[in-house]
Coordinates of all heavy atoms in Angstrom, one line a residue:
I14 N 78.9 -17.0 26.7 CA 77.7 -17.8 26.4 C 76.5 -16.9 26.6 O 76.5 -16.0 27.4 CB 77.6 -19.0 27.5 CG1 78.8 -19.9 27.2 CG2 76.3 -19.7 27.4 CD1 78.9 -21.0 28.2
Q15 N 75.5 -17.1 25.7 CA 74.3 -16.3 25.7 C 73.5 -16.5 27.0 O 73.4 -17.6 27.5 CB 73.4 -16.6 24.5 CG 74.1 -16.4 23.2 CD 74.5 -15.0 23.0 OE1 73.9 -14.0 23.5 NE2 75.6 -14.7 22.3
I16 N 73.0 -15.4 27.5 CA 72.1 -15.5 28.7 C 70.8 -14.9 28.4 O 70.7 -13.7 28.1 CB 72.8 -14.9 29.9 CG1 74.1 -15.5 30.3 CG2 71.8 -14.9 31.1 CD1 74.9 -14.8 31.3
Y17 N 69.7 -15.6 28.4 CA 68.4 -15.1 28.2 C 67.4 -16.2 28.7 O 67.8 -17.2 29.1 CB 68.1 -14.8 26.7 CG 68.6 -15.8 25.8 CD1 67.8 -17.0 25.5 CD2 69.8 -15.7 25.1 CE1 68.2 -18.0 24.7 CE2 70.2 -16.7 24.3 CZ 69.4 -17.8 24.1 OH 69.9 -18.8 23.2
D18 N 66.1 -15.8 28.7 CA 65.1 -16.7 29.3 C 64.8 -17.9 28.3 O 64.0 -17.8 27.5 CB 63.8 -16.0 29.6 CG 64.0 -15.0 30.7 OD1 64.8 -15.4 31.6 OD2 63.3 -14.0 30.8
G19 N 65.6 -19.0 28.5 CA 65.3 -20.2 27.7 C 65.7 -20.2 26.3 O 66.3 -19.2 25.8
G20 N 65.5 -21.3 25.7 CA 65.9 -21.5 24.3 C 64.8 -21.1 23.3 O 65.0 -21.2 22.1
A21 N 63.7 -20.5 23.7 CA 62.7 -20.1 22.8 C 63.2 -19.1 21.8 O 62.8 -19.1 20.6 CB 61.5 -19.6 23.6
L22 N 64.0 -18.2 22.2 CA 64.6 -17.2 21.3 C 65.4 -17.8 20.2 O 65.3 -17.4 19.0 CB 65.4 -16.2 22.1 CG 65.8 -14.9 21.3 CD1 64.6 -14.2 20.8 CD2 66.6 -14.0 22.2
V23 N 66.2 -18.8 20.5 CA 67.0 -19.5 19.5 C 66.1 -20.2 18.5 O 66.3 -20.2 17.3 CB 67.9 -20.6 20.2 CG1 68.7 -21.4 19.1 CG2 68.9 -19.9 21.1
L24 N 65.0 -20.9 19.1 CA 64.1 -21.6 18.2 C 63.4 -20.6 17.3 O 63.1 -20.9 16.1 CB 63.1 -22.4 19.0 CG 63.7 -23.6 19.7 CD1 62.7 -24.3 20.6 CD2 64.4 -24.6 18.8
Y25 N 63.0 -19.4 17.8 CA 62.3 -18.4 17.0 C 63.3 -17.9 15.9 O 62.9 -17.8 14.7 CB 61.9 -17.2 17.8 CG 61.3 -16.1 17.0 CD1 59.9 -16.3 16.6 CD2 62.0 -15.0 16.7 CE1 59.3 -15.3 15.9 CE2 61.4 -14.0 16.0 CZ 60.1 -14.1 15.5 OH 59.5 -13.1 14.8
A26 N 64.6 -17.7 16.2 CA 65.5 -17.3 15.2 C 65.7 -18.4 14.1 O 65.8 -18.1 13.0 CB 66.9 -17.0 15.9
L27 N 65.8 -19.6 14.6 CA 65.9 -20.7 13.6 C 64.7 -20.7 12.6 O 64.8 -20.9 11.4 CB 66.0 -22.1 14.3 CG 66.1 -23.3 13.4 CD1 67.3 -23.2 12.5 CD2 66.1 -24.6 14.2
R28 N 63.5 -20.6 13.2 CA 62.3 -20.6 12.3 C 62.3 -19.4 11.4 O 62.0 -19.5 10.2 CB 61.0 -20.5 13.2 CG 59.8 -20.6 12.4 CD 58.5 -20.7 13.2 NE 58.3 -19.4 13.9 CZ 57.4 -19.2 14.8 NH1 56.8 -20.2 15.4 NH2 57.3 -18.0 15.3
Q29 N 62.8 -18.2 11.8 CA 63.0 -17.1 10.9 C 64.0 -17.4 9.8 O 63.8 -17.0 8.6 CB 63.4 -15.9 11.7 CG 62.4 -15.4 12.7 CD 61.1 -15.0 12.0 OE1 61.0 -14.1 11.2 NE2 60.0 -15.6 12.4
K30 N 65.0 -18.1 10.1 CA 66.1 -18.4 9.1 C 65.6 -19.5 8.1 O 65.9 -19.3 6.9 CB 67.4 -18.9 9.8 CG 68.5 -19.2 8.8 CD 69.8 -19.2 9.5 CE 70.9 -19.5 8.5 NZ 71.1 -18.5 7.4
I31 N 65.0 -20.6 8.6 CA 64.8 -21.7 7.6 C 63.3 -21.7 7.1 O 63.0 -22.5 6.2 CB 65.2 -23.0 8.3 CG1 64.3 -23.4 9.4 CG2 66.6 -23.0 8.6 CD1 64.5 -24.8 10.0
G32 N 62.4 -20.9 7.7 CA 61.0 -20.9 7.3 C 60.2 -21.8 8.1 O 60.7 -22.8 8.7
E33 N 58.9 -21.5 8.1 CA 57.9 -22.3 8.9 C 57.8 -23.8 8.6 O 57.8 -24.6 9.4 CB 56.5 -21.6 8.8 CG 55.5 -22.2 9.7 CD 55.7 -21.8 11.1 OE1 56.3 -20.7 11.4 OE2 55.3 -22.6 12.0
A34 N 57.8 -24.1 7.3 CA 57.6 -25.5 6.9 C 58.8 -26.3 7.3 O 58.7 -27.4 7.9 CB 57.4 -25.6 5.4
A35 N 60.0 -25.9 7.0 CA 61.2 -26.6 7.4 C 61.3 -26.7 9.0 O 61.7 -27.7 9.5 CB 62.5 -25.9 6.9
F36 N 61.0 -25.6 9.7 CA 61.0 -25.6 11.1 C 60.1 -26.7 11.7 O 60.4 -27.4 12.6 CB 60.7 -24.2 11.7 CG 60.8 -24.1 13.2 CD1 62.0 -24.1 13.8 CD2 59.6 -24.1 13.9 CE1 62.0 -24.0 15.2 CE2 59.6 -24.1 15.3 CZ 60.9 -24.0 15.9
E37 N 58.9 -26.7 11.1 CA 57.9 -27.7 11.6 C 58.4 -29.1 11.3 O 58.2 -30.0 12.1 CB 56.5 -27.5 11.0 CG 55.8 -26.3 11.5 CD 54.5 -26.0 10.9 OE1 54.0 -26.9 10.1 OE2 53.9 -24.9 11.2
Q38 N 59.1 -29.3 10.2 CA 59.6 -30.6 9.9 C 60.8 -31.0 10.8 O 60.9 -32.2 11.3 CB 60.1 -30.7 8.4 CG 60.6 -32.1 8.0 CD 61.0 -32.1 6.6 OE1 61.0 -31.2 5.8 NE2 61.5 -33.3 6.2
V39 N 61.6 -30.0 11.2 CA 62.6 -30.3 12.2 C 62.0 -30.7 13.5 O 62.4 -31.7 14.1 CB 63.5 -29.0 12.5 CG1 64.4 -29.2 13.7 CG2 64.3 -28.7 11.3
Q40 N 60.9 -30.0 14.0 CA 60.3 -30.4 15.2 C 59.7 -31.8 15.2 O 59.9 -32.6 16.1 CB 59.1 -29.4 15.5 CG 59.6 -28.1 15.9 CD 58.4 -27.2 16.2 OE1 57.6 -26.9 15.4 NE2 58.4 -26.6 17.4
R41 N 59.0 -32.2 14.1 CA 58.4 -33.5 14.0 C 59.5 -34.6 13.9 O 59.3 -35.6 14.5 CB 57.5 -33.5 12.7 CG 56.2 -32.8 12.9 CD 55.2 -33.1 11.8 NE 55.8 -32.8 10.5 CZ 55.7 -31.6 9.9 NH1 55.2 -30.6 10.5 NH2 56.2 -31.4 8.7
T42 N 60.5 -34.3 13.1 CA 61.5 -35.3 12.9 C 62.3 -35.5 14.2 O 62.7 -36.7 14.6 CB 62.5 -34.9 11.8 OG1 61.7 -34.7 10.6 CG2 63.6 -35.9 11.5
W43 N 62.6 -34.4 14.9 CA 63.3 -34.5 16.2 C 62.6 -35.5 17.2 O 63.2 -36.4 17.7 CB 63.5 -33.1 16.8 CG 64.1 -33.1 18.1 CD1 63.6 -33.0 19.3 CD2 65.5 -33.2 18.4 NE1 64.5 -33.1 20.3 CE2 65.7 -33.2 19.7 CE3 66.7 -33.3 17.5 CZ2 67.0 -33.2 20.3 CZ3 67.9 -33.4 18.1 CH2 68.1 -33.3 19.5
V44 N 61.3 -35.3 17.3 CA 60.5 -36.1 18.3 C 60.5 -37.5 17.8 O 60.7 -38.4 18.6 CB 59.1 -35.5 18.4 CG1 58.2 -36.5 19.2 CG2 59.1 -34.1 19.1
H45 N 60.3 -37.7 16.5 CA 60.2 -39.1 16.0 C 61.6 -39.8 16.1 O 61.7 -41.0 16.5 CB 59.8 -39.1 14.5 CG 59.7 -40.4 13.9 ND1 58.7 -41.4 14.2 CD2 60.5 -41.0 13.0 CE1 59.0 -42.4 13.5 NE2 60.1 -42.2 12.8
R46 N 62.6 -39.1 15.6 CA 64.0 -39.8 15.6 C 64.6 -40.0 17.0 O 65.2 -41.0 17.1 CB 64.9 -38.9 14.8 CG 66.3 -39.5 14.5 CD 67.1 -38.6 13.7 NE 66.6 -38.5 12.3 CZ 67.2 -37.8 11.3 NH1 68.4 -37.1 11.6 NH2 66.7 -37.8 10.1
Y47 N 64.3 -39.2 17.9 CA 65.0 -39.3 19.2 C 64.1 -39.7 20.4 O 64.5 -39.7 21.5 CB 65.8 -38.0 19.5 CG 66.9 -37.7 18.6 CD1 66.8 -36.8 17.6 CD2 68.0 -38.5 18.6 CE1 67.8 -36.6 16.7 CE2 69.1 -38.3 17.7 CZ 68.9 -37.4 16.7 OH 69.9 -37.2 15.8
R48 N 62.9 -40.1 20.0 CA 61.9 -40.6 21.1 C 62.6 -41.8 21.8 O 63.2 -42.7 21.2 CB 60.6 -41.0 20.4 CG 59.6 -41.5 21.4 CD 58.3 -41.9 20.8 NE 58.6 -42.8 19.6 CZ 57.8 -43.0 18.6 NH1 56.6 -42.5 18.7 NH2 58.1 -43.8 17.7
D49 N 62.5 -41.8 23.1 CA 63.1 -42.8 23.9 C 64.6 -43.0 23.8 O 65.1 -44.1 23.9 CB 62.3 -44.2 23.7 CG 60.9 -44.1 24.0 OD1 60.5 -43.4 24.9 OD2 60.1 -44.7 23.3
S50 N 65.3 -42.0 23.4 CA 66.7 -42.1 23.3 C 67.4 -40.8 23.8 O 66.7 -39.9 24.3 CB 67.2 -42.4 21.9 OG 66.8 -41.3 21.0
V51 N 68.6 -40.7 23.7 CA 69.4 -39.5 24.1 C 69.9 -38.8 22.9 O 70.4 -39.4 22.0 CB 70.6 -39.9 25.0 CG1 71.4 -38.7 25.4 CG2 70.1 -40.6 26.3
A52 N 69.8 -37.5 22.9 CA 70.3 -36.7 21.8 C 71.0 -35.4 22.4 O 70.7 -35.0 23.5 CB 69.1 -36.2 20.9
S53 N 71.9 -34.9 21.6 CA 72.7 -33.7 22.0 C 72.3 -32.5 21.2 O 71.6 -32.5 20.2 CB 74.2 -34.0 21.8 OG 74.4 -34.1 20.4
T54 N 72.8 -31.4 21.7 CA 72.7 -30.1 20.9 C 73.3 -30.3 19.5 O 72.7 -29.8 18.5 CB 73.4 -29.0 21.7 OG1 72.8 -28.9 23.0 CG2 73.2 -27.7 20.9
D55 N 74.4 -31.0 19.4 CA 75.0 -31.2 18.1 C 74.1 -32.0 17.2 O 74.0 -31.8 16.0 CB 76.4 -31.9 18.2 CG 77.5 -31.0 18.7 OD1 77.3 -29.7 18.5 OD2 78.5 -31.5 19.2
D56 N 73.3 -33.0 17.8 CA 72.3 -33.7 17.0 C 71.3 -32.8 16.5 O 70.8 -32.9 15.3 CB 71.7 -34.8 17.9 CG 72.7 -35.9 18.2 OD1 73.5 -36.3 17.4 OD2 72.5 -36.5 19.3
F57 N 70.8 -31.8 17.3 CA 69.8 -30.9 16.9 C 70.3 -30.0 15.7 O 69.6 -29.8 14.7 CB 69.3 -30.0 18.0 CG 68.2 -29.1 17.6 CD1 66.9 -29.6 17.5 CD2 68.5 -27.8 17.3 CE1 65.9 -28.7 17.1 CE2 67.4 -26.9 16.9 CZ 66.1 -27.4 16.8
I58 N 71.5 -29.5 15.9 CA 72.1 -28.6 14.9 C 72.2 -29.4 13.6 O 71.9 -28.9 12.5 CB 73.5 -28.1 15.3 CG1 73.3 -27.1 16.5 CG2 74.2 -27.5 14.2 CD1 74.6 -26.7 17.2
A59 N 72.7 -30.7 13.6 CA 72.8 -31.5 12.4 C 71.5 -31.7 11.8 O 71.4 -31.7 10.5 CB 73.5 -32.8 12.8
L60 N 70.5 -32.0 12.6 CA 69.1 -32.2 12.0 C 68.6 -31.0 11.3 O 68.1 -31.1 10.2 CB 68.2 -32.7 13.1 CG 66.7 -33.0 12.6 CD1 66.7 -34.2 11.6 CD2 65.9 -33.3 13.8
A61 N 68.7 -29.8 12.0 CA 68.2 -28.6 11.4 C 68.9 -28.3 10.1 O 68.3 -27.8 9.1 CB 68.4 -27.5 12.4
T62 N 70.2 -28.5 10.1 CA 71.0 -28.3 8.9 C 70.6 -29.3 7.7 O 70.4 -28.9 6.6 CB 72.5 -28.4 9.2 OG1 72.9 -27.5 10.2 CG2 73.4 -28.2 8.0
E63 N 70.4 -30.5 8.1 CA 70.0 -31.5 7.1 C 68.7 -31.2 6.5 O 68.5 -31.2 5.3 CB 69.9 -32.9 7.9 CG 69.3 -34.0 7.1 CD 69.0 -35.2 7.9 OE1 69.8 -35.5 8.9 OE2 68.0 -35.9 7.7
I64 N 67.7 -30.9 7.3 CA 66.3 -30.6 6.9 C 66.3 -29.3 6.1 O 65.6 -29.3 5.0 CB 65.3 -30.7 8.0 CG1 65.1 -32.1 8.5 CG2 64.0 -30.0 7.6 CD1 64.3 -32.3 9.7
S65 N 67.0 -28.3 6.5 CA 66.9 -27.1 5.8 C 67.7 -27.1 4.5 O 67.4 -26.4 3.6 CB 67.5 -26.0 6.7 OG 68.9 -26.1 6.8
G66 N 68.6 -28.0 4.4 CA 69.5 -28.1 3.2 C 70.4 -26.9 3.1 O 71.0 -26.7 2.0
D67 N 70.6 -26.2 4.1 CA 71.4 -25.0 4.1 C 72.6 -25.2 5.1 O 72.4 -25.1 6.3 CB 70.6 -23.8 4.6 CG 71.3 -22.5 4.6 OD1 72.5 -22.5 4.4 OD2 70.6 -21.5 4.8
P68 N 73.8 -25.3 4.6 CA 75.0 -25.5 5.5 C 75.2 -24.3 6.4 O 75.9 -24.5 7.4 CB 76.1 -25.8 4.6 CG 75.7 -25.4 3.2 CD 74.2 -25.4 3.2
S69 N 74.7 -23.2 6.1 CA 74.9 -22.0 7.0 C 74.1 -22.1 8.3 O 74.4 -21.3 9.2 CB 74.6 -20.7 6.2 OG 73.2 -20.5 6.1
V70 N 73.2 -23.1 8.4 CA 72.5 -23.2 9.6 C 73.4 -23.7 10.8 O 73.2 -23.2 11.9 CB 71.3 -24.2 9.4 CG1 70.7 -24.7 10.7 CG2 70.3 -23.6 8.5
T71 N 74.4 -24.5 10.5 CA 75.3 -24.9 11.5 C 76.0 -23.7 12.2 O 75.9 -23.6 13.4 CB 76.3 -25.9 11.0 OG1 75.6 -27.1 10.6 CG2 77.4 -26.3 12.1
P72 N 76.7 -22.9 11.5 CA 77.4 -21.7 12.2 C 76.3 -20.7 12.8 O 76.6 -20.1 13.8 CB 78.2 -21.1 11.1 CG 77.8 -21.6 9.8 CD 77.1 -22.9 10.1
F73 N 75.2 -20.6 12.1 CA 74.1 -19.8 12.6 C 73.7 -20.2 14.0 O 73.7 -19.4 15.0 CB 72.9 -19.8 11.7 CG 71.7 -19.1 12.2 CD1 71.6 -17.7 12.1 CD2 70.7 -19.8 12.8 CE1 70.5 -17.1 12.5 CE2 69.5 -19.2 13.2 CZ 69.4 -17.8 13.1
L74 N 73.4 -21.5 14.2 CA 73.0 -22.0 15.5 C 74.1 -22.0 16.5 O 73.9 -21.7 17.7 CB 72.4 -23.4 15.4 CG 71.0 -23.5 14.8 CD1 70.6 -24.9 14.5 CD2 70.0 -22.8 15.7
R75 N 75.3 -22.3 16.1 CA 76.5 -22.2 17.0 C 76.6 -20.8 17.5 O 76.9 -20.6 18.7 CB 77.7 -22.7 16.4 CG 77.7 -24.2 16.1 CD 79.0 -24.8 15.9 NE 78.9 -26.2 15.6 CZ 78.6 -27.2 16.5 NH1 78.5 -26.9 17.8 NH2 78.6 -28.5 16.2
G76 N 76.5 -19.8 16.7 CA 76.5 -18.4 17.1 C 75.5 -18.1 18.1 O 75.8 -17.4 19.2
W77 N 74.3 -18.5 17.9 CA 73.2 -18.3 18.8 C 73.4 -19.0 20.1 O 73.0 -18.5 21.2 CB 71.8 -18.7 18.2 CG 71.2 -17.6 17.4 CD1 71.4 -17.3 16.1 CD2 70.4 -16.5 18.0 NE1 70.7 -16.1 15.8 CE2 70.1 -15.7 16.9 CE3 69.9 -16.2 19.2 CZ2 69.3 -14.5 17.1 CZ3 69.1 -15.1 19.4 CH2 68.8 -14.3 18.3
L78 N 73.9 -20.2 20.1 CA 74.0 -21.0 21.3 C 75.3 -20.8 22.1 O 75.3 -20.8 23.3 CB 73.9 -22.5 20.9 CG 72.6 -23.0 20.4 CD1 72.7 -24.3 19.8 CD2 71.5 -23.0 21.5
Y79 N 76.4 -20.5 21.4 CA 77.7 -20.4 22.1 C 78.4 -19.1 21.9 O 79.5 -18.9 22.5 CB 78.6 -21.5 21.6 CG 78.0 -22.9 21.7 CD1 77.7 -23.7 20.6 CD2 77.6 -23.4 23.0 CE1 77.1 -25.0 20.7 CE2 77.1 -24.7 23.1 CZ 76.8 -25.4 22.0 OH 76.3 -26.7 22.1
G80 N 77.8 -18.2 21.1 CA 78.5 -16.9 20.9 C 78.6 -16.0 22.1 O 77.9 -16.2 23.1
Q81 N 79.5 -15.1 22.0 CA 79.7 -14.1 23.1 C 78.7 -13.0 23.2 O 78.5 -12.3 24.2 CB 81.1 -13.5 23.1 CG 82.2 -14.5 23.3 CD 82.1 -15.2 24.7 OE1 82.0 -14.5 25.7 NE2 82.1 -16.5 24.8
K82 N 78.0 -12.8 22.0 CA 76.9 -11.8 22.0 C 75.8 -12.3 21.2 O 76.0 -13.2 20.3 CB 77.4 -10.4 21.6 CG 77.9 -10.4 20.1 CD 78.3 -9.0 19.8 CE 78.1 -8.7 18.3 NZ 78.3 -7.4 17.9
T83 N 74.6 -11.8 21.4 CA 73.4 -12.2 20.7 C 73.5 -11.8 19.3 O 73.7 -10.6 19.0 CB 72.2 -11.7 21.4 OG1 72.2 -12.1 22.7 CG2 70.9 -12.3 20.7
P84 N 73.4 -12.7 18.3 CA 73.4 -12.4 16.9 C 72.2 -11.6 16.5 O 71.2 -11.5 17.2 CB 73.4 -13.7 16.2 CG 73.8 -14.7 17.2 CD 73.3 -14.2 18.5
A85 N 72.2 -11.0 15.3 CA 71.1 -10.3 14.7 C 69.9 -11.4 14.4 O 70.2 -12.5 14.1 CB 71.5 -9.7 13.4
M86 N 68.7 -10.9 14.6 CA 67.5 -11.8 14.3 C 67.2 -11.7 12.9 O 66.9 -10.6 12.3 CB 66.4 -11.3 15.2 CG 65.1 -12.1 15.0 SD 65.2 -13.8 15.5 CE 65.3 -13.6 17.3
P87 N 67.2 -12.9 12.2 CA 66.8 -12.9 10.8 C 65.4 -12.3 10.5 O 64.5 -12.6 11.3 CB 66.8 -14.4 10.4 CG 67.6 -15.1 11.5 CD 67.4 -14.2 12.7
G88 N 65.3 -11.5 9.5 CA 64.0 -10.9 9.2 C 63.6 -9.7 10.0 O 62.5 -9.2 9.8
H89 N 64.4 -9.3 11.0 CA 64.1 -8.2 11.9 C 65.3 -7.3 12.1 O 66.0 -7.4 13.1 CB 63.6 -8.8 13.3 CG 62.4 -9.6 13.2 ND1 61.2 -9.1 13.2 CD2 62.3 -11.0 13.1 CE1 60.3 -10.1 13.1 NE2 60.9 -11.2 13.0
P90 N 65.6 -6.5 11.1 CA 66.8 -5.7 11.1 C 66.8 -4.7 12.3 O 67.9 -4.2 12.7 CB 66.9 -5.0 9.8 CG 65.4 -5.0 9.3 CD 64.8 -6.3 9.9
D91 N 65.6 -4.4 12.8 CA 65.6 -3.4 13.9 C 65.6 -4.0 15.3 O 65.6 -3.3 16.3 CB 64.3 -2.6 13.8 CG 63.0 -3.4 13.8 OD1 63.1 -4.6 13.5 OD2 61.9 -2.9 14.1
W92 N 65.8 -5.3 15.4 CA 65.7 -6.1 16.6 C 67.0 -5.8 17.4 O 68.1 -5.8 16.9 CB 65.6 -7.6 16.3 CG 65.5 -8.5 17.5 CD1 64.3 -8.7 18.1 CD2 66.5 -9.3 18.1 NE1 64.5 -9.6 19.2 CE2 65.8 -10.0 19.1 CE3 67.8 -9.5 17.9 CZ2 66.5 -10.8 20.0 CZ3 68.5 -10.4 18.7 CH2 67.8 -11.0 19.7
T93 N 66.9 -5.5 18.7 CA 68.0 -5.3 19.6 C 67.9 -6.1 20.9 O 66.8 -6.5 21.2 CB 68.2 -3.8 19.9 OG1 67.0 -3.3 20.6 CG2 68.4 -2.9 18.6
V94 N 69.0 -6.2 21.5 CA 69.1 -6.9 22.8 C 69.7 -5.9 23.9 O 70.6 -5.3 23.6 CB 70.0 -8.1 22.7 CG1 70.2 -8.8 24.0 CG2 69.5 -9.1 21.7
N95 N 69.0 -6.0 25.0 CA 69.6 -5.2 26.2 C 70.5 -6.2 26.9 O 70.1 -7.3 27.3 CB 68.5 -4.8 27.1 CG 67.7 -3.6 26.5 OD1 68.3 -2.8 25.9 ND2 66.4 -3.6 26.8
P96 N 71.7 -5.8 27.2 CA 72.6 -6.7 27.9 C 72.1 -7.0 29.3 O 71.4 -6.2 29.9 CB 73.9 -5.9 28.0 CG 73.9 -4.9 26.9 CD 72.4 -4.6 26.8
V97 N 72.4 -8.2 29.8 CA 71.9 -8.6 31.1 C 72.4 -7.7 32.2 O 73.6 -7.2 32.1 CB 72.5 -10.1 31.4 CG1 72.1 -10.4 32.9 CG2 71.8 -11.1 30.5
G98 N 71.6 -7.3 33.1 CA 72.0 -6.4 34.2 C 71.7 -5.0 33.9 O 71.8 -4.1 34.7
R99 N 71.4 -4.6 32.6 CA 71.0 -3.3 32.3 C 69.5 -3.1 32.3 O 68.8 -3.9 31.8 CB 71.6 -2.9 30.9 CG 73.1 -2.8 30.9 CD 73.5 -1.9 29.8 NE 74.9 -1.6 29.9 CZ 75.7 -1.3 28.9 NH1 75.1 -1.2 27.7 NH2 76.9 -1.0 29.1
P100 N 69.0 -2.0 32.8 CA 67.6 -1.7 32.7 C 67.1 -1.6 31.3 O 67.8 -1.2 30.4 CB 67.4 -0.4 33.5 CG 68.8 0.0 34.0 CD 69.8 -0.9 33.4
V101 N 65.9 -2.0 31.1 CA 65.2 -1.9 29.8 C 64.8 -0.6 29.5 O 64.4 0.2 30.3 CB 64.0 -2.9 29.7 CG1 63.4 -2.8 28.4 CG2 64.5 -4.3 30.0

């Protein structure tokens, strides 16, 4: 499982993958659709996939959320990760 400071990195990666407009639509739709209810990570993945119209979003997010190592950052080929416990 990925270990890092919060889900902000996953959300940034998603925005890089699907673009600013689709990402903003995911955020607005998420709040509207699930206000005053319970939603799961699978619900978020399904919504991001639905709005983006790109079926590759599902395995992309699963890799970021559940993978054994941090995936490459879309749009940033030089991006690297320091493993937890190693000095920067």
Side-chain angles (χ1 to χ4, degrees):
I14 296 176
Q15 299 301 325
I16 300 173
Y17 46 81
D18 290 329
L22 190 60
V23 175
L24 294 176
Y25 179 78
L27 176 62
R28 186 172 71 191
Q29 295 299 301
K30 179 161 180 66
I31 67 176
E33 187 71 29
F36 181 77
E37 288 179 10
Q38 186 178 357
V39 169
Q40 289 180 303
R41 286 189 305 274
T42 303
W43 177 260
V44 170
H45 177 74
R46 187 177 291 181
Y47 295 105
R48 180 181 48 199
D49 298 326
S50 66
V51 176
S53 68
T54 302
D55 285 338
D56 292 325
F57 183 82
I58 292 170
L60 179 64
T62 302
E63 171 191 327
I64 288 174
S65 71
D67 181 356
S69 73
V70 169
T71 295
F73 173 82
L74 284 172
R75 290 198 183 286
W77 271 92
L78 294 166
Y79 305 117
Q81 293 299 310
K82 66 180 208 170
T83 305
M86 179 64 72
H89 299 275
D91 58 338
W92 186 79
T93 60
V94 175
N95 288 322
V97 173
R99 289 202 171 156
V101 177

